[in-house]
Amino acid sequence: MKQGIKKVKAPRRRFLHLALGLLCLLLQVPQARAQRVPLPDTTGQGNSALPALLGDTVRVRLELQPDSLVAVPMGPMVVDSVRLEWLRTPPTMRDLVCDRVGCFETDVPHTFNNSVMAYVTLFTARNRSYLQRVLERENFYFPIFEKYLAKYNLPTDLKYLAVVESALIPTAKSPVGATGLWQFMGPTAGDLRLQRDEWIDERMAPEKATEAACKHLRYLYGIFHDWELVLAAYNWGAGSVQRVIRRTGKKTFWDLYPHMPAETRNYVPTFTAIMYSMKYAEAHGLRTPSLRYQYAEPMDTLSLRGYAFDLRRLSRACGYEDSLYLTRFNPELRRAALPAGYRPYVVRFPAAAAVHLGDVDRTTLLEYCQPTAALPQALATLPPRLDGVEPWVSQSVLAATEGPRTSEEAAAPRFRRVPHKVKRGETLASLAERFEVSQSQLRRWNELPKGRPLKPGRELVVFVPLPAAAPRRAPMATEVLPMIAAAPRPVVSTEEVAARREQAAANAREVARLQDVVRQEKLQEARLVGIRQRQAIQQAAAEGQARAAARRMAQAQAAVVTEARRNEAKATTAALEPEETPEAVASAPEVNTGTYTVRKGDYLTKLAREHNLTVSQLMAWNGLDAETVTPGQRLMLHAPAADAGAQEGARRQSKPMASKATAVAPARAAPERKGLSPQVHMVQRGDTLFNISQRFGVTVQGLRELNHLTSDDVKLGQKLLVPQG
């Protein structure tokens, strides 16, 4: 045994001796230095510079190719072998991706960093199947996105945003409720006019949702003017991004990066990685022949127009084995059917399927697509369970009785909305009296401040109370209402059915008669309003004509009086004796001439009140066009015809025609002075110029002229002159 062991140990010792010898030889070899490129041999001794040992691998002659990076003669310059090895090494994947992303010609975010590279690795290496499923749907949805992005003048590469949101799945729904290709929340969809109900959700309609997304992106870009912040606001909300900008004072996405939630921080890098991965899908081997690509097809439409519809029956009619095949072309349908009476809807199906439909018309096709079973209906709301309160058994029992709030409904007033334009002279009190409402109601309906007068031309809204509705028919004594635990419904006889029909016909005739009466009342009211308007127009025209005639008559009378005075003066001058002086002649007629010299502080209203006259009389007798007078002006305080009657002989000698005019004038002036003597009226609560004019039979303009008013406003306790007659 010992000899065998010695024989085994002998070869091991030889191996150890050999290893030690080789180690000593390696220690004697000089350390490797940087290679030097030898210069061409110009002395003719080409092999003299070669090393003696052909097996030396440290210093060798480099045979450089013409296209080599180091082919340029470098002289005594040293070339680092590590640098040369780096030049020969192909670029890494990170550098390649960085170069490709930097070459993107787009306005959307394409900044490259470690976060982007991590997502590029995820989509191109670790989770390739996700991006391959997206590539299958790319040709189906991207043409729709590009059409609407071009329509709203947005960057075309924003189409990759839908991939980040929903992976091009139109029915995708997030845990928080965002739905559709562009993942709209409910409030945002409402702002963008996307309709949602229990049958249809337009957030899942590709074209409508894409157009809404373009509008929303354009709105966000108008706020931030930076596409990185636009994408962050699309995910986090515009208000949240604005708040963090105000709080930090920073205005770029990467400056705000630490202050955002994790989902928003990863949103922009994910978008850049998706855009790169889909643009360079072939370079990474993502496009394979085994993928089932989807392409757009020519489509045909079918308008329902309120018909009940079952999409499964249309799929069978078009020859598809899958009854839900057409749902991929109508993803906004939450159910595969629509009820009768639903709003207008258009169903889309491939045009190639029209071959299976043949020459069938639209009505026949819609009748075939009617649901075979009743569509699910919404559950009836249950009344709340309250202690000590017995709820109504059913709707039929509630309809058969008057109900608990019949008295309140009958007592509550019902109103009709009537627009009204404020006219000159109308006040809040007059309108309240006219429409039979209170002033506080008018102020509350129109938000009118208290104590401020109405301005003519303002539009008001008045709720006029309607006549009380006819009381409900009380149940007859012979009518038995169903009870909570009622027996099975008894069979109704033919006579009772006929009686009910006759009663229903009588009720219908009565309703028609009442409607006819209401219509006739409205026509009569409209006729009366038209008659009142015509009468008001005629009265205003007559008053205008009367004022014009009075003005013309006053002017004619003034001309006659002036001519008579001129003739009288001439006759008086001729009859004077020589010893009389002109001063005596001039002072003689001032005794009883019936005139008044205007003094400082006088005005027509004051003079009319002192002499028991009206302003219109003074203006007519003196030929005044306005109510202003100047100090020193002479005014006649009586009709001009009175002077002509007193000096009838002089007028008869001077002008025979003047006597005829003065003979007729006193007869007309007498009743005028007798009927137009004004009276004083004190303004009461609720009075307006319009009410006072209606009460005394005069016009609003006449009251304003008589009392020198510049507006239609009057105050409580104010005294007004009102002409009689």
Side-chain angles (χ1 to χ4, degrees), residues 381-624:
T381 57
L382 298 177
R385 297 290 181 178
L386 301 177
D387 296 337
V389 178
E390 183 67 22
W392 293 99
V393 180
S394 62
Q395 187 176 3
S396 59
V397 176
L398 183 61
T401 59
E402 293 185 355
R405 291 185 296 271
T406 305
S407 58
E408 289 84 359
E409 291 177 359
R414 294 180 300 171
F415 297 92
R416 176 170 58 92
R417 183 189 180 96
V418 177
H420 177 74
K421 188 174 183 180
V422 179
K423 300 178 182 178
R424 188 180 298 276
E426 292 182 340
T427 61
L428 204 64
S430 63
L431 291 178
E433 181 181 357
R434 176 180 175 183
F435 291 105
E436 298 181 356
V437 295
S438 65
Q439 299 184 30
S440 59
Q441 287 177 324
L442 285 176
R443 282 195 297 267
R444 184 172 65 254
W445 294 336
N446 299 277
E447 299 180 357
L448 299 175
K450 193 172 183 180
R452 185 174 299 177
L454 297 177
K455 294 183 179 180
R458 174 165 182 173
E459 293 286 345
L460 299 181
V461 176
V462 184
F463 293 92
V464 180
L466 294 174
R472 292 186 179 182
R473 182 181 65 86
M476 301 174 63
T478 58
E479 213 172 320
V480 180
L481 298 178
M483 303 304 292
I484 296 178
R489 186 177 297 177
V491 179
V492 182
S493 61
T494 307
E495 293 79 4
E496 188 174 355
V497 171
R500 290 182 179 179
R501 289 179 179 175
E502 184 178 356
Q503 183 65 27
N507 293 340
R509 288 193 298 271
E510 182 65 19
V511 170
R513 188 184 67 81
L514 292 176
Q515 292 177 351
D516 190 19
V517 169
V518 172
R519 187 165 51 254
Q520 293 295 334
E521 289 179 353
K522 290 182 179 179
L523 291 176
Q524 184 66 19
E525 183 179 356
R527 255 189 248 106
L528 291 175
V529 170
I531 292 173
R532 294 194 190 99
Q533 291 179 351
R534 287 194 296 272
Q535 290 178 351
I537 293 172
Q538 293 174 359
Q539 182 180 359
E543 290 177 355
Q545 293 176 359
R547 285 195 298 270
R551 192 178 297 109
R552 288 195 298 270
M553 182 180 296
Q555 293 175 356
Q557 291 177 357
V560 171
V561 170
T562 304
E563 186 66 24
R565 287 182 179 178
R566 189 180 296 113
N567 296 333
E568 181 182 355
K570 291 180 181 179
T572 305
T573 305
L576 284 175
E577 295 180 356
E579 61 271 10
E580 293 181 355
T581 61
E583 290 78 4
V585 176
S587 59
E590 290 184 0
V591 179
N592 289 320
T593 56
T595 60
Y596 177 79
T597 303
V598 178
R599 302 173 184 174
K600 188 176 181 180
D602 287 346
Y603 50 92
L604 283 185
T605 305
K606 175 182 176 183
L607 297 177
R609 186 165 56 250
E610 291 177 352
H611 296 86
N612 197 18
L613 297 174
T614 63
V615 177
S616 57
Q617 288 175 334
L618 289 177
M619 293 178 63
W621 294 341
N622 294 276
L624 300 177

Side-chain angles (χ1 to χ4, degrees), residues 655-673:
K655 201 171 186 178
M657 295 299 297
S659 61
K660 296 181 180 180
T662 53
V664 179
R668 295 181 180 176
E672 181 180 0
R673 291 189 61 182

Side-chain angles (χ1 to χ4, degrees), residues 278-299:
M278 295 190 70
K279 284 181 179 290
Y280 289 93
E282 295 182 358
H284 291 277
L286 293 172
R287 295 186 184 274
T288 60
S290 61
L291 297 182
R292 294 179 297 177
Y293 295 101
Q294 301 177 11
Y295 297 94
E297 306 177 40
M299 303 302 294

